[in-house]
Amino acid sequence: MKYLVRLQEGAKKVATRDAYGEALAELGRENPDVVALDADLSKSTKTAVFGKAFPARFFNMGIAEANMMATAAGLAAAGKVPFASTFAVFATGRAFDQVRNSICYPHLNVKIAASHAGITVGEDGGSHQSVEDIALMRVLPNMTVIVPADAGETRAAVRAAAALDGPVYLRLGRAGGPIIFGPDYSFRVGEAVVLREGRDVSLFACGVMVAEALKAADQLAGEGLEAEVVNVSSLKPFDWRTVAESVVRTGAAVSAEEHSIIGGLGGAVAECLAERHPVPLVRVGLRDTFGESGTPDELMKAYGLTAADIVRAAKEAIQRRRV
Amino acid sequence: MTAAAKSGHPGGSLSAADILAALYFRVLRVDPSRPGWPERDRFVLSKGHAAPALYAALAERGYFPVEELKTLRRIHSRLQGHPDMRKTPGVEASTGSLGQGLSMAGGMALAGRLDGCDWRVYALLGDGECEEGQVWEAAMAAAHYRLDNLTAFLDNNGLQIDGPIEQVMSPNPLNDKWRAFGWHVIEIDGHDFGQILGAVDEAKKTKGRPTMIVARTIKGKGCSFMENEAEWHGKAPSPEQAEQALRDLEKGGAAR
Ligand SMILES: Cc1ncc(C[n+]2csc(CCOP(=O)(O)OP(=O)(O)O)c2C)c(N)n1
Ligand SMILES: [Mg+2]
């Protein structure tokens, strides 16, 4: 799919978790079977918006994530469409076996919308910054994994998740990010979207790194290099075709994610290229390390997750293609 | 069944067999010809390793042919080593990872109440299983949400894999713990049908909180050489032992 965009300077910033809260409440108005669960973080994950609108369909399960996930499984087994939210680190780590055995193995219709993913959590530090959740969820059979890039895509992803029968993991952020997509954007599960065309290098990004990749493409253009930017919001199912076709055109690739370079988007792109069309790949992401306290901006710089880092990676990939 | 499969969990299946028989033949409002009937009662076997006993009850009740029981644990069988709700008609929850079934049952009970339905949810837990923290998360939540449409059984056979629960990691005093978590607790002999059915009636009449029926049971019940022996938790009998076991069980059945 193609949806060509340019980042607007000074665009309004909205956190994907805020978009989730609104979208979930909206969904609740349309579908009486939608229920929400939270583990004492409803103000942070924004399920509180739903809880306020539909108190009878909102279940605060307390600080007990394992029970929350398996309770959601029971609700789904009885026909409900449960959205279960907490921080990404707890949703995928603390309750992994519940997600695996109670949700994915029986293919139950549970939507896990996890906020505070990645290092843009900021000051709370490494204990709260999930750098491994995509890898953990992506490896589970039956699971769909979506990492929306902005508020609009989040709203669309929430709807798409509800429309899909089966487990979905939605990865949401705490910090505000620029609006990328207009109201005409149509999100489809399993489709990567070309946001900008170019023939020198493919920049595959997800989540907050999509905006950084668009900025990087602008900077590269200033140096005479044309970067293709692809939004890979569907980590699973993974759009092998769009990714492979892009590198056939460009011959060099960069992956960019707010996650470990192991097992997440970088891992998925590497798997795809290795099997379909091997080209030099440079992965931008956390280099097998946990995060730490700091402001989101400081951390993104410290861990090499900025447009400048993507520019450097792109040049390296192009360089390696030439030798 | 476990002898034919050459693996499986006879001990914990036998301790739960009487409860399962009572549930499937006297308690549960189910229709084997319509396993997906929305108004049915739900039963979650949280101690999923007792799958052989569950399958036997389901087959005898008519969900699938009794002959199919011999396919337990075989490749392509609908009867997986642990219950699989996607493969076996009548199985309501996929279990096997201990500690999760009561949460699922609680979710079902919440859904039933949201829809204003009168179907009830039952679950069966092991006593060793109560060492899992999630059991107590689920206990807390079921009491918090006043799930009086949820009734659980505790198969209190006193044994787990590595030995007596008192030695491995005591979850006792179990009755007091469930009471302290806000449940209505009934203590019974888990091999006495009158007591099982009486407790279920009492649970149905109990309003505002879930009921835990703590059933004193004998692991390996009815089989002379298995009774109260921890080693028979997860070991299949040889063909000769299986015959002996069946003779024992028949004798027991006649005596009752
Ligand atoms: C989470 C988890 N840990 C370990 C096991 C392995 N396991 C299977 S049965 C069992 C002992 C269960 O004891 P209890 O709950 O008392 O069951 P029963 O005595 O009724 O067979 C264990 C440890 C498991 N299935 N799930
Ligand atoms: Mg036991």
Side-chain angles (χ1 to χ4, degrees):
Chain A
M1 202 170 40
K2 211 185 289 182
Y3 181 95
L4 302 183
V5 289
R6 285 291 144 98
L7 257 198
Q8 304 302 321
E9 204 48 60
K12 198 175 124 208
K13 287 194 163 185
V14 183
T16 50
R17 62 173 167 147
D18 284 307
Y20 164 61
E22 283 160 31
L24 185 62
E26 208 177 281
L27 200 62
R29 272 185 279 282
E30 294 163 24
N31 184 348
D33 281 334
V34 169
V35 299
L37 303 91
D38 207 296
D40 201 29
L41 288 167
S42 62
K43 292 189 192 77
S44 300
T45 64
K46 304 298 173 188
T47 56
V49 182
F50 180 98
K52 199 157 166 240
F54 309 103
R57 286 193 265 148
F58 173 71
F59 304 108
N60 198 326
M61 302 309 292
I63 313 160
E65 297 76 13
N67 180 53
M68 173 173 76
M69 291 303 175
T71 300
L75 282 157
K80 298 293 167 195
V81 184
F83 278 73
S85 291
T86 177
F87 289 173
V89 72
F90 308 132
T92 63
R94 171 61 69 101
F96 183 79
D97 186 31
Q98 287 72 22
V99 174
R100 183 200 189 277
N101 276 312
S102 288
I103 296 174
C104 286
Y105 177 55
H107 196 277
L108 283 168
N109 198 19
V110 175
K111 319 302 168 187
I112 299 166
S115 75
H116 292 58
I119 56 175
T120 47
V121 165
E123 293 78 355
D124 270 356
S127 62
H128 283 55
Q129 297 164 349
S130 162
V131 299
E132 71 284 9
D133 55 309
I134 298 176
L136 288 171
M137 294 297 103
R138 196 169 76 86
V139 78
L140 287 173
N142 292 340
M143 184 62 108
T144 292
V145 180
I146 301 170
V147 185
D150 79 342
E153 191 169 40
T154 302
R155 278 191 289 272
V158 169
R159 292 190 162 274
L164 182 159
D165 180 26
V168 176
Y169 179 68
L170 267 175
R171 185 187 212 234
L172 307 168
R174 167 176 182 252
I179 299 293
I180 297 169
F181 300 105
D184 56 330
Y185 171 67
S186 75
F187 166 84
R188 263 185 300 229
V189 175
E191 281 191 16
V193 184
V194 177
L195 302 182
R196 175 175 179 141
E197 292 175 301
R199 55 184 159 71
D200 293 318
V201 62
S202 302
L203 309 180
F204 300 108
C206 64
V208 296
M209 296 307 285
V210 174
E212 295 304 308
L214 286 167
K215 284 184 222 163
D218 280 338
Q219 291 172 25
L220 287 163
E223 302 180 37
L225 291 169
E226 288 181 28
E228 179 148 301
V229 179
V230 184
N231 173 29
V232 191
S233 45
S234 280
L235 272 287
K236 202 179 149 187
F238 189 78
D239 190 347
W240 285 59
R241 191 158 149 211
T242 299
V243 170
E245 280 174 3
S246 177
V247 296
V248 167
R249 286 191 292 274
T250 63
V254 171
S255 63
E257 66 198 304
E258 188 196 1
H259 181 273
S260 171
I261 56 170
I262 301 170
L265 175 64
V269 170
E271 290 157 16
C272 174
L273 300 192
E275 285 199 13
R276 293 283 166 90
H277 191 82
V279 301
L281 164 69
V282 179
R283 293 170 299 163
V284 171
L286 283 111
R287 310 196 70 79
D288 200 13
T289 175
F290 290 110
E292 64 183 292
S293 292
T295 66
D297 283 344
E298 286 167 350
L299 292 168
M300 293 298 268
K301 278 200 195 79
Y303 287 87
L305 301 181
T306 66
D309 296 294
I310 298 176
V311 166
R312 223 169 301 135
K315 288 180 185 165
E316 189 190 327
I318 293 168
Q319 180 63 33
R320 278 209 254 140
R321 177 186 60 200
R322 288 189 183 133
V323 294
Chain B
M1 285 166 74
T2 54
K6 299 197 181 71
S7 72
H9 297 83
S13 294
L14 289 169
S15 64
D18 291 335
I19 294 167
L20 287 166
L23 281 173
Y24 277 94
F25 287 91
R26 286 288 180 279
V27 175
L28 295 177
R29 183 175 78 191
V30 290
D31 178 355
S33 68
R34 290 180 296 163
W37 178 39
E39 296 303 312
R40 71 194 185 279
D41 287 342
R42 272 76 167 167
F43 170 70
V44 175
L45 182 67
S46 190
K47 43 168 277 189
H49 58 278
L54 173 62
Y55 297 156
L58 290 172
E60 295 287 351
R61 188 71 172 78
Y63 281 90
F64 48 83
V66 172
E67 301 79 67
E68 198 171 330
L69 293 175
K70 291 197 199 91
T71 68
L72 173 71
R73 289 179 167 245
R74 298 247 176 90
I75 185 93
H76 305 321
S77 170
R78 294 196 287 182
L79 308 182
Q80 295 291 295
H82 291 83
D84 183 330
M85 63 185 284
R86 297 295 176 200
K87 293 216 163 87
T88 316
V91 169
E92 296 286 355
S94 298
T95 51
S97 177
L98 290 168
Q100 303 191 29
L102 191 60
S103 305
M104 286 189 253
M108 292 175 190
L110 278 173
R113 196 172 61 190
L114 265 183
D115 292 342
C117 299
D118 69 345
W119 47 266
R120 300 181 59 80
V121 186
Y122 296 86
L124 173 63
L125 285 76
D127 47 7
E129 182 180 10
C130 291
E131 292 155 19
E132 282 285 355
Q134 187 185 343
V135 168
W136 302 101
E137 297 181 4
M140 190 161 39
H144 180 83
Y145 284 108
R146 305 178 193 286
L147 297 180
D148 51 21
N149 53 349
L150 173 65
T151 302
F153 284 87
L154 209 163
D155 186 351
N156 192 12
N157 57 29
L159 294 176
Q160 54 192 111
I161 294 185
D162 283 346
I165 56 172
E166 278 288 350
Q167 279 169 29
V168 178
M169 173 53 66
S170 176
N172 289 329
L174 278 164
N175 300 346
D176 292 348
K177 282 202 177 81
W178 287 98
R179 235 172 251 127
F181 272 78
W183 287 57
H184 177 56
V185 175
I186 308 172
E187 292 169 50
I188 62 163
D189 172 347
H191 301 301
D192 179 323
F193 284 97
Q195 291 190 32
I196 296 171
L197 298 177
V200 169
D201 279 341
E202 185 177 326
K204 282 185 185 164
K205 288 188 202 118
T206 302
K207 299 295 168 205
R209 55 196 166 139
T211 295
M212 172 56 79
I213 301 171
V214 178
R216 263 172 290 106
T217 56
I218 295 171
K219 204 158 174 170
K221 170 73 180 174
C223 169
S224 55
F225 57 94
M226 283 188 194
E227 284 196 359
N228 287 322
E229 294 290 343
E231 64 165 310
W232 282 103
H233 171 86
K235 181 171 83 169
S238 68
E240 298 74 41
Q241 288 170 324
E243 262 174 47
Q244 169 75 42
L246 289 176
R247 274 198 303 276
D248 289 350
L249 285 166
E250 258 160 43
K251 247 191 284 166
R256 218 178 266 132

